[in-house]
């Protein structure tokens, strides 16, 4: 349905200055009209531009994550 959400309140849960990385989390909520998409999973995507310039792993490049959600096939919501 093209719902758009933005990173606003990312909580940093771990980081390493020496290794040039961080791990953050943010919760997004989405209500679907049915547990799956007529027998197929709903596809959730999260993408953006741009990763921090200067990092060793694809700095200044776009990113894209994709996840299938079928609430009848799993006991709880998926995490990325």
């Amino acid at each position: 349905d093209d719902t758009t959400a933005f990173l606003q309140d990312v909580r940093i849960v771990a980081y390493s200055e020496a290794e040039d990385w961080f791990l953050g989390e943010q919760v997004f909520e989405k209500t679907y009209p049915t547990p799956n998409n007529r027998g197929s999973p709903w596809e959730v995507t999260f993408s953006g531009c741009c990763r921090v310039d200067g990092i060793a792993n694809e700095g200044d490049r776009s990113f894209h994550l994709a996840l299938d959600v079928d609430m009848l096939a799993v006991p709880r919501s998926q995490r990325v």
Side-chain angles (χ1 to χ4, degrees):
D1 70 358
D2 294 330
T3 300
T4 301
F6 298 96
L7 287 175
Q8 295 177 358
D9 298 313
V10 176
R11 184 173 75 101
I12 304 300
V13 295
Y15 71 95
S16 171
E17 287 185 41
E19 296 176 352
D20 193 26
W21 62 267
F22 76 90
L23 174 65
E25 71 179 20
Q26 180 168 344
V27 175
F28 296 94
E29 292 187 23
K30 169 73 177 154
T31 301
Y32 293 94
T34 58
N36 61 34
N37 188 11
R38 296 184 200 132
S40 297
W42 294 103
E43 181 182 46
V44 178
T45 61
F46 182 72
S47 57
C49 179
C50 294
R51 295 169 53 109
V52 178
D53 190 25
I55 62 174
N57 185 11
E58 303 291 330
D60 201 34
R61 304 268 320 256
S62 299
F63 62 89
H64 181 83
L65 302 170
L67 172 70
D68 289 336
V69 175
D70 185 336
M71 299 309 290
L72 296 177
V74 295
R76 63 183 176 89
S77 297
Q78 300 293 310
R79 295 175 184 255
V80 175

